[in-house]
Amino acid sequence: MIGSLIVGALIGMMAGAITKKGESMGCVYNIFAGLVGSFVGQSLFGYWGPTLADMAILPSVLGAIIVIAVVDLFFG
């Protein structure tokens, strides 16, 4: 479980860096974006690419970008 949180935080940090929202996001938001983004990304794009802690990295980052965009749209 701790491994999933760490990988979720890394995915959230990567997505935050891509969307230029990384500086305004905290650790908890990075973990949230990474874990929810992993679920969304793997549901939408499938399970392909390299994996860490049973999370496919590339679809997870794409899903985290979507989660960040939607949260930013509603809570700007």
Side-chain angles (χ1 to χ4, degrees), residues 10-60:
L10 292 174
I11 290 169
M13 286 190 324
M14 285 188 276
I18 291 170
T19 60
K20 307 279 194 269
K21 303 280 184 201
E23 296 164 2
S24 64
M25 296 175 13
C27 285
V28 175
Y29 187 67
N30 279 336
I31 293 171
F32 170 78
L35 292 177
V36 174
S38 177
F39 174 76
V40 170
Q42 291 179 22
S43 296
L44 292 175
F45 304 115
Y47 193 83
W48 51 273
T51 62
L52 286 172
D54 289 333
M55 293 181 209
I57 300 299
L58 298 175
S60 297

